[in-house]
Amino acid sequence: MKNLPDILLRLFFGAALVLIGITILRYGSGGSLVICKATKSKTASCTITERLAFSQQIIDEKTIDNITQAKVAIINAIRSDVDGASEDIQFFRVLGVTGKGISYQIGQDGKDSTQAKAVAGKINFLIQNPNASPIQLDYSSNMTNFLAWGVIGLGITVSLFMRTEK
């Protein structure tokens, strides 16, 4: 039969693991962060911050001003493997187009067209509404997210199922 200190120790250790996992999810995910703001001239200004997992060290920060339109480009490519096999792949890129016709990639390429269209739609909404609040698009690393969920799962498992033998 388990005694109270053993149960409390397991609950404390499990809760600590869950909190670590939540912290990794919230602050430690690598990838890119895009923040777009509306300007009074009915354009958008987006800041793209590339970051690394855990350290939050900014490796590249690019600012794009005077975006007059956001659109989705469909990119078809052929992926070749080492053994010579190839497959057709398609992905979607959100482009911010300035008044001078120069386009910049916003965020990361995705395989889901609806997600890319939603990102472009949010930016276009900002352009039409100069008083709208900024939007934040978080493109985080799947590997770091899996790590975080693994730590959370381990914390729950430890607090519920781990037994100490005496």
Side-chain angles (χ1 to χ4, degrees):
M1 185 160 170
K2 297 178 182 170
N3 56 15
L4 186 60
D6 178 46
I7 293 172
L8 291 176
L9 180 65
R10 287 188 303 120
L11 287 176
F12 175 76
F13 186 64
L17 286 173
V18 169
L19 287 175
I20 290 170
I22 291 171
T23 303
I24 291 172
L25 271 179
R26 187 163 181 190
Y27 299 107
S29 57
S32 64
L33 185 69
V34 181
I35 299 173
C36 292
K37 299 176 183 177
T39 64
K40 292 183 180 177
S41 60
K42 289 207 171 190
T43 67
S45 176
C46 293
T47 301
I48 302 172
T49 303
E50 298 289 336
R51 53 195 182 157
L52 297 171
F54 304 112
S55 66
Q56 288 295 295
Q57 174 185 353
I58 296 171
I59 53 177
D60 180 30
E61 188 169 344
K62 172 173 64 175
T63 302
I64 308 167
D65 293 319
N66 302 321
I67 297 173
T68 57
Q69 180 189 9
K71 60 183 180 179
V72 179
I74 302 169
I75 300 182
N76 295 299
I78 298 172
R79 177 185 294 154
S80 297
D81 294 335
V82 177
D83 59 0
S86 62
E87 65 172 320
D88 293 334
I89 57 171
Q90 184 179 72
F91 51 92
F92 303 90
R93 180 173 293 168
V94 178
L95 299 173
V97 183
T98 66
K100 295 180 180 178
I102 304 169
S103 61
Y104 297 91
Q105 181 176 345
I106 296 177
Q108 296 176 349
D109 295 332
K111 294 184 178 178
D112 184 3
S113 64
T114 56
Q115 184 179 15
K117 288 176 184 174
V119 170
K122 287 179 183 179
I123 296 169
N124 287 326
F125 174 79
L126 279 179
I127 293 166
Q128 298 301 318
N129 297 279
N131 296 323
S133 58
I135 57 170
Q136 180 172 310
L137 311 166
D138 190 359
Y139 299 88
S140 57
S141 166
N142 286 334
M143 186 177 76
T144 309
N145 291 337
F146 287 139
L147 172 68
W149 283 112
V151 171
I152 291 171
L154 180 64
I156 293 170
T157 303
V158 165
S159 63
L160 294 179
F161 301 113
M162 191 174 101
R163 295 182 186 198
T164 56
E165 300 294 330
K166 291 194 177 193

